[in-house]
Amino acid sequence: MHRRLFPRTLALVALVAAAATAGAPGATAEAPAPAVTRLHATIDAILADSRLAGAQASVVVVDTATGQTLYDRNGDRRLVPASNTKLLTSTAAMALLGPDHRFTTDVRSSGKRRAGLLAGDLYLRGGGDPTMLAKDYDALAAQVAAGGVRVVTGDLVADDTRYDRTRLGPDWTWDDEPYYYAAQVSALTVAPDTDYDAGTVIVHAAPGKAGAPPVITTTPATGYLRFDNRARTVAGGETSISFEREHGGNTVVVTGQIAVGDEPASDWVTVWEPTGYAADVFRAALRRHGVTVLGRTTVGTPAPTGAATLARHDSMPLAELMVPFLKLSNNGHAEVLTKEIGRVRSGSGTWSAGLTAISGYVAEAGMDTGTLRQRDGSGLSRRNLIPAGEFVDLLAAVRGQPWFDTWYAALPIAGEPERFVGGTLRSRMLGTPAAGNVHAKTGSLTGVSGLSGYATDADGRVLAFSILLNNYLASSVKGLEDQIAVALATYSETSGATARVAPAAEPDRTGAPDGLECSWVKPIAC
């Protein structure tokens, strides 16, 4: 495909004949003005930090109005982008599905109905909605009951056939599987709360009597999990409880101890086969509303063509879903959107179909897809490889889209304390000119960090930037990204000032599992 030229590329082409520049590592193709020279020096000094010794760094900054490249260090180098990958997935979803796109979950049957008896099977048909809560399944059950159904003679059939049955990304590591950020993907699933981590259950352990096991409950209430409770309640000491689901099933092993009088310990645990989880929650809701299903629960069979709709739930529009997706960097949303794009664009709800469509969109938007590789929607795969310069081309291009303002507002905003405003940047760049200014997507895996988005400089220009850092051994390099972002927020070609902020103290995250970004503690993951 012929690559469309966007501001960064156009600027470099136009400046090929310009005078040669000084040999600074971040020098651009034009003879730098004094302000740009100072910006180069500032960013070069930040990247010289000892935490990046032996590591790889790729940084590109572009003025989106003029296309001028203000800084380019290894901008064409392919690096692992972690959750910066979501920039491709989210923009493609807005363009290919549309801001008004919704996911529909419904209940259907082709059986005959008479005097409260439904002769046949009852189908719970999933439409991919990653925001379905237990209360939404309860509302579906209430609609079925309100329609007069009291007894279903057949089975409850969980229809998840909108997407394929490949539940996990092809390159995801096995030890991530129990964690909420690597939940299995299904067209029919449940989220335990309004973070919408579909395919997970929140497990709570409350103190029992001293010497006794803690009391285990779940949100939502479900019998889908089995617990091997090896933990103990202690009269004194610190609470330290661990929940880990065993591979290949839904047994959760609970270990550790909880002190008498302490608040319950809680954590998110993924389920094995979320379709069955959704069916379990729905069957319980039917019972509460007086509907009895005489048959068993089965999964994976499509509802018959022409089956009557007994109940229906539509999700929030995609424009609203962008907020929890991008603010909290929700991996499950990224993967559902990838499969949904494939289903809508080609009739195939698979990773390969979705990624093919995403690649086609970002190529049209100006990314050179011959220089990158995208293996999943979220960035959890370490085989994703994308140059910083390609991110900047995409960021510059999408500013002209009719949905841009909605998408831009959904990006995390530096230093804004509300979770659904600041998101994964809410505790970063506090008290600096970047706070309330920088809108950007964070990204982290062990040894991988990224920050890509927009900063408005001191002269009011919107700068697109991408910072990718790989192969470092330090516990965190987020502070270096923040220093660069602050330098961009204070950059001026009129005042002659470019700020350099002192490195911020950072928590020790040594050994944090891949995919758990920015903090050990959910809900600050990014």
Side-chain angles (χ1 to χ4, degrees), residues 41-53 57 73 480 500:
T42 297
I43 299 178
D44 286 345
I46 294 167
L47 296 178
D49 188 282
S50 60
R51 282 172 284 181
L52 295 179
R73 165 83 71 92
L480 303 180
R500 168 87 187 274

Side-chain angles (χ1 to χ4, degrees), residues 51-67:
R51 282 172 284 181
L52 295 179
Q56 296 190 70
S58 179
V59 180
V60 175
V61 182
V62 164
D63 181 337
T64 60
T66 66

Side-chain angles (χ1 to χ4, degrees), residues 165-222:
R165 294 187 61 80
T166 302
R167 301 300 192 211
L168 297 170
D171 310 313
W172 296 0
T173 59
W174 67 268
D175 53 338
D176 279 337
E177 186 186 305
Y179 297 104
Y180 74 95
Y181 55 81
Q184 295 187 17
V185 180
S186 170
L188 186 61
T189 188
V190 186
D193 64 9
T194 54
D195 281 6
Y196 301 118
D197 290 301
T200 71
V201 174
I202 305 175
V203 181
H204 313 278
K209 294 181 179 180
V215 178
I216 305 298
T217 57
T218 64
T219 301
T222 177

Side-chain angles (χ1 to χ4, degrees), residues 409-488:
L411 291 170
I413 304 173
E416 292 289 345
E418 294 293 329
R419 282 187 78 229
F420 286 97
V421 179
T424 56
L425 286 177
R426 71 186 185 277
S427 61
R428 294 174 59 178
M429 296 172 252
L430 296 168
T432 73
N437 174 344
V438 169
H439 290 57
K441 186 68 203 72
T442 52
S444 300
L445 298 167
T446 302
V448 174
S449 189
L451 185 69
S452 300
Y454 306 93
T456 301
D457 73 10
D459 297 332
R461 290 181 298 258
V462 177
L463 310 180
F465 68 90
S466 180
I467 307 164
L468 301 177
L469 307 173
N470 280 198
N471 300 331
Y472 54 87
L473 300 179
S475 59
S476 177
V477 293
K478 298 296 185 188
L480 303 180
E481 297 168 355
D482 293 353
Q483 290 181 59
I484 295 173
V486 172
L488 299 181

